[in-house]
Amino acid sequence: MAEKIVMVKPKVISYSGLFIMKELYHTIDSWLKENGYDKEEKKVYEKVSEKGKTIEIKYEPFKKITDYSKYILEIQIRVRNLIPVEIEEKGKTKLFNKGDVEITLQGNKISDYENYWESKPFYFFMRTVFRKFILKDEESKQDSKFKDDFANIAREIKDHLNMHKFIRMS
């Protein structure tokens, strides 16, 4: 059975106001591509009501480190009361979205996801010895890089959402 280790506890980014939903998707997608993550969509839900749209999306982008382990960024986006708003900015009309956004991020490490090292007791013993004595420094470097990636994507999302914070609706 694969071993799941929580590398970074869940972080919630909340925002309420103007933003552009399409650009938010693009920001997340481009960051994942630039940093070598393969995006895997787990859930997409959309509901339209009188108050506006409700959207829920769950991504689980992953990055294979070795044939033995991979890192998974869990990204869950919840948007409530999403409505389109036209705003005139510098003489041009631009289409924005207004709503409440909540993005939850979590970082996990999955090792032995193909259950190779637990098929026989000797393999299990060898895996433990390798991780404890031989691969310890390399694993800690990779873990620290993943934690940096996590902080970077959280900052990128937060910066994107705050970009439109001071636009006034007329």
Side-chain angles (χ1 to χ4, degrees):
M1 187 170 149
E3 180 182 21
K4 180 178 180 180
I5 303 165
V6 176
M7 298 297 295
V8 185
K9 292 182 180 173
K11 177 182 176 116
V12 178
I13 300 169
S14 297
Y15 177 80
S16 185
L18 295 174
F19 64 100
I20 300 172
M21 193 68 188
K22 192 174 185 178
E23 288 181 6
L24 178 61
Y25 291 142
H26 180 71
T27 299
I28 293 171
D29 283 347
S30 62
W31 188 92
L32 292 171
K33 285 178 188 172
E34 287 172 12
N35 290 282
Y37 285 84
D38 294 322
K39 189 172 89 172
E40 188 175 327
E41 225 172 65
K42 290 291 186 178
K43 175 184 175 183
V44 177
Y45 169 78
E46 187 173 315
K47 179 183 173 187
V48 180
S49 68
E50 294 172 8
K51 293 180 180 180
K53 278 187 187 178
T54 299
I55 300 172
E56 286 188 37
I57 300 168
K58 185 172 184 180
Y59 295 131
E60 285 189 1
F62 63 92
K63 186 179 202 177
K64 275 188 168 183
I65 301 304
T66 63
D67 289 339
Y68 169 71
S69 64
K70 64 182 174 181
Y71 292 112
I72 298 177
L73 276 171
E74 290 182 14
I75 303 171
Q76 188 165 7
I77 304 169
R78 282 188 215 93
V79 182
R80 291 184 181 87
N81 306 324
L82 184 70
I83 56 171
V85 177
E86 286 186 8
I87 295 184
E88 196 168 313
E89 188 179 47
K90 298 178 185 172
K92 294 183 179 180
T93 303
K94 195 168 183 183
L95 189 63
F96 284 88
N97 299 110
K98 181 180 179 187
D100 305 317
V101 181
E102 186 178 280
I103 299 174
T104 306
L105 302 168
Q106 181 174 330
N108 299 318
K109 179 179 182 178
I110 305 291
S111 57
D112 194 21
Y113 52 88
E114 294 178 355
N115 292 329
Y116 177 74
W117 290 98
E118 291 191 8
S119 61
K120 295 182 181 175
F122 179 73
Y123 292 161
F124 182 83
F125 171 75
M126 291 304 295
R127 177 189 76 174
T128 307
V129 169
F130 273 104
R131 282 182 71 190
K132 189 150 186 107
F133 298 110
I134 298 172
L135 300 175
K136 185 177 180 182
D137 291 337
E138 187 62 34
E139 262 190 5
S140 66
K141 286 178 191 175
Q142 291 171 349
D143 291 350
S144 124
K145 169 92 173 83
F146 177 68
K147 289 176 184 176
D148 289 344
D149 281 353
F150 184 88
N152 288 337
I153 192 166
R155 186 173 43 254
E156 189 84 20
I157 291 170
K158 204 178 238 183
D159 290 349
H160 175 79
L161 289 171
N162 288 328
M163 186 168 54
H164 303 296
K165 197 174 204 171
F166 300 105
I167 293 178
R168 303 245 188 255
M169 292 194 313
S170 46

